[in-house]
Amino acid sequence: MHRATRYLLFVLLLAACAAPVAQPTAPPVPVAEQPGRAADIAMDTPSPAPAFQPEPTPTAPPPTMPPPTSTLPPTATPTPTLIDVAAQAAALVPEYASDLAQAEAWDQYALYVVLDPAALTLYGELDLALRNREEVPYTELYFKLYPNEPIYGGSLSVSEVLVNDQPATFATEQDTMLLRVDLTEPLPPAAEAIVSIRFETRTPRNASGSTFGAFNQEAGVWALANFYPTLARRFNGSWDTRPLEDQGDLPATETALYAVTIDTPPEWTVVATGVRTDQTPLDHGPRREYYVSGPQREFFIAALRDLDQASTVVDGTRVVSYYQRGNPAAGQASLQIAADSVRIFNARFGRYPLAELDVIQAALTKFLGMEFPGVVLIEQRLYPRGGRVFETTVVHEVAHQWWYSQVGSDPQGEPWLDESLASYLQVVYYEGIGNPQAATAEVDFFRQQYIGARNTGRDGIVSGPAGSFNGNYVAMVYAKGALFYQALRQRLGDERFFAFLQTYYATYRYEEATGADVLRVAEETCSCDLQQFYTDWIARAVAVDVP
């Protein structure tokens, strides 16, 4: 079961088992943190337009926009460094533009894509500048083709691969989940190569009830998660080609820089990772937009039709809520929750360095929330309901902008690393908005979930890989893992606990952390021995003193 599906079960249990807690009246984001605002939240309402009606499934019509030629637009033409690193600063708040000094450590993606929403098709060309940062030569490269995973319900097909402008031999493996590119000459350590790939991606429509709703067109949102061939990460000295487990998030990706050119029909609004730097109309009708990402683990695109929006600014980051017409109060509420989350998390463990964060009401159906770099999707049914489940879902997914997006981890090998902390930060959020009763209720719920599992013989190892759990994933990864942080906080005290999170964030931002890193940073922060404490909570299935 996909991680997001598990989170649905988790929050549904929350709604069923936890005592109702009145949604707090959160204080507005201080005006000082919202440049140019005259009201608590700024509403940007588009002109009225007919409500979105899903197009009928096409029966092999010609695409409404032509696929791209083999030549990228001039602004995306590869150069020795492929993209303009300095231009990436637009995606960062000014105080973090200096992070781009690390750009030599990151690969560079230049993408040109044409969106054809009527045909559910994206035509794309990818240029990837990569460097061998290891001590052994590369004889082949591997790319993940995530849309070919059954849960996505779509496809990603590759028609051409070039390496340094020369045709390359390529093939798919693992039932088309992997793309192997053979190198005619090994790529030695410290050497660079530019890989060019032409591809075509297709999504389902109105399929959120049976497939991955973040790769689907429904209710005015065309979500395009993992739409492009993604270079596999290096893992233990080789390419990470492990077969993927549906139990747990699929993408395990490394930080990279993206420059993306998107052609889209004018009636659709593009929301994407990073920020848009320019746009221009094209003679044949579509609009061409240019995006830069800043340092990110992946690039997400959604095309929206007939959604309203509201926005505010928190500590230099523009937060935008996109919501269906007819839900203005809930759209404003999602904005307030996201803005409060950013403000609280910035203060507690380190500032969010990116210039924009988007929250989108979407048809997810099988789960309630999903995070991508700079973009959060929230299940549409929660908006008219509001309340605690809606609130904690937004908080949880915003928390992932720190723990998954900024501080990376292996969601297949150690899924607890981002999930447990994102869950515990629901407690920190409620404390931050001045609602200690709701914070206590969150801890109570985690406690009930874990003790219930333990009393029925379903205790387990929190740090296990995604495929190791058997009916206790939620209780271990979301509940017991969150309780570990509560127990650690009680042991260290608030000052040292949040100093630990600050150090952990500063040390591993843009990197990939492991459970051993959590233990090491915590021990260094408190100058104490936490090995047995950590082992009992995380690496063993033994009874622990539940906080």
Side-chain angles (χ1 to χ4, degrees):
M1 185 165 54
H2 192 268
R3 183 195 73 186
T5 307
R6 287 191 305 276
Y7 187 57
L8 166 62
L9 300 178
F10 177 66
V11 293
L12 289 180
L13 286 170
L14 174 79
C17 302
V21 176
Q23 185 170 346
T25 303
V29 181
V31 174
E33 297 178 359
Q34 305 169 30
R37 284 191 351 115
D40 289 339
I41 299 294
M43 170 80 82
D44 305 313
T45 305
S47 301
F52 171 72
Q53 298 293 331
E55 299 90 344
T57 303
T59 57
T64 58
M65 288 187 294
T69 65
S70 59
T71 303
L72 296 177
T75 56
T77 301
T79 66
T81 58
L82 195 62
I83 67 175
D84 181 358
V85 172
Q88 295 283 317
L92 296 163
V93 294
E95 296 86 339
Y96 284 84
S98 60
D99 287 357
L100 294 172
Q102 308 172 52
E104 289 296 315
W106 306 322
D107 294 333
Q108 300 178 6
Y109 286 80
L111 280 156
Y112 169 46
V113 299
V114 174
L115 304 185
D116 188 348
L120 302 173
T121 302
L122 177 152
Y123 305 96
E125 293 184 359
L126 161 67
D127 282 319
L128 169 65
L130 65 92
R131 175 179 296 172
N132 182 348
R133 298 181 176 88
E134 299 189 5
E135 297 180 356
V136 296
Y138 295 166
T139 57
E140 74 281 317
L141 308 173
Y142 275 94
F143 292 80
K144 299 293 184 73
L145 306 180
Y146 290 108
N148 293 338
E149 291 285 335
I151 193 172
Y152 282 72
S155 65
L156 196 172
S157 58
V158 172
S159 58
E160 182 181 41
V161 179
L162 306 177
V163 177
N164 295 329
D165 292 326
Q166 299 300 312
T169 302
F170 63 94
T172 58
E173 299 179 0
Q174 292 185 11
D175 293 331
T176 73
M177 309 304 175
L178 284 174
L179 173 72
R180 189 192 73 245
V181 176
D182 298 319
L183 300 178
T184 56
E185 297 181 2
L187 186 67
E192 297 180 344
I194 293 181
V195 181
S196 303
I197 302 176
R198 178 183 285 192
F199 63 95
E200 182 176 306
T201 302
R202 294 179 181 271
T203 75
R205 176 187 279 117
N206 299 331
S208 63
S210 57
T211 63
F212 185 35
F215 187 77
N216 176 50
Q217 186 185 122
E218 191 169 341
V221 177
W222 190 25
L224 291 158
N226 315 120
F227 64 87
Y228 56 93
T230 305
L231 184 68
R233 66 197 263 273
R234 295 291 292 182
F235 182 70
N236 291 337
S238 61
W239 296 108
D240 183 1
T241 60
R242 295 170 296 173
L244 298 176
E245 296 282 348
D246 281 351
Q247 181 162 263
D249 249 12
L250 300 182
T253 52
E254 297 177 332
T255 298
L257 297 174
Y258 293 81
V260 182
T261 301
I262 303 172
D263 290 356
T264 186
E267 65 270 21
W268 290 80
T269 298
V270 172
V271 177
T273 295
V275 298
R276 187 183 67 200
T277 58
D278 199 5
Q279 65 176 332
T280 182
L282 300 179
D283 292 340
H284 57 287
R287 180 179 64 251
R288 178 165 292 168
E289 302 185 358
Y290 304 91
Y291 289 81
V292 294
S293 67
Q296 300 282 20
R297 297 193 180 274
E298 52 186 305
F299 194 91
F300 175 82
I301 294 174
L304 313 183
R305 191 171 181 178
D306 300 327
L307 269 69
D308 288 345
Q309 62 175 282
S311 64
T312 188
V313 176
V314 181
D315 295 341
T317 296
R318 182 172 182 254
V319 183
V320 187
S321 169
Y322 295 92
Y323 54 92
Q324 296 168 4
R325 294 173 181 175
N327 293 312
Q332 292 283 342
S334 67
L335 176 62
Q336 185 70 67
I337 296 163
D340 283 340
S341 298
V342 171
R343 172 177 55 83
I344 291 163
F345 298 158
N346 278 351
R348 276 307 201 179
F349 41 79
R351 189 167 171 188
Y352 185 62
L354 300 171
E356 186 164 319
L357 173 61
D358 301 308
V359 182
I360 303 174
Q361 181 182 9
L364 304 179
T365 305
K366 293 179 66 177
F367 55 98
L368 297 187
M370 190 66 202
E371 78 283 353
F372 299 94
V375 184
V376 165
L377 304 182
I378 305 296
E379 161 57 28
Q380 61 180 354
R381 293 169 297 169
L382 296 182
Y383 278 68
R385 296 178 186 176
R388 183 172 169 186
V389 175
F390 174 55
E391 188 169 24
T392 56
T393 300
V394 175
V395 172
H396 184 97
E397 304 308 334
V398 171
H400 275 307
Q401 298 303 312
W402 281 260
W403 317 107
Y404 139 77
S405 184
Q406 293 295 303
V407 176
S409 55
D410 179 1
Q412 291 276 298
E414 290 187 281
W416 81 279
L417 279 169
D418 68 321
E419 289 298 350
S420 297
L421 190 47
S423 296
Y424 184 68
L425 293 181
Q426 296 163 204
V427 177
V428 174
Y429 162 83
Y430 278 122
E431 294 172 342
I433 63 169
N435 192 334
Q437 295 84 5
T440 299
E442 289 294 295
V443 176
D444 286 344
F445 179 68
F446 296 141
R447 186 183 299 118
Q448 293 166 13
Q449 289 297 294
Y450 170 55
I451 292 176
R454 191 169 73 181
N455 290 345
T456 54
R458 294 182 295 116
D459 201 353
I461 297 173
V462 173
S463 60
S468 68
F469 297 91
N470 185 18
N472 63 347
Y473 185 97
V474 168
M476 295 301 104
V477 171
Y478 287 87
K480 186 178 179 182
L483 288 171
F484 160 76
Y485 283 105
Q486 177 72 4
L488 180 63
R489 182 177 179 179
Q490 290 180 354
R491 182 157 180 159
L492 300 185
D494 274 16
E495 182 176 351
R496 288 193 295 180
F497 176 75
F498 286 108
F500 147 68
L501 287 182
Q502 291 162 10
T503 302
Y504 181 39
Y505 179 62
T507 303
Y508 291 100
R509 191 157 52 91
Y510 307 138
E511 304 292 336
E512 183 176 304
T514 66
D517 296 321
V518 172
L519 173 60
R520 180 186 59 78
V521 174
E523 287 185 327
E524 289 177 355
T525 302
C526 69
S527 299
C528 61
D529 183 357
L530 296 172
Q531 180 66 62
Q532 192 62 52
F533 171 83
Y534 175 89
T535 299
D536 289 347
W537 269 99
I538 302 300
R540 298 176 64 197
V542 299
V544 291
D545 294 330
V546 180

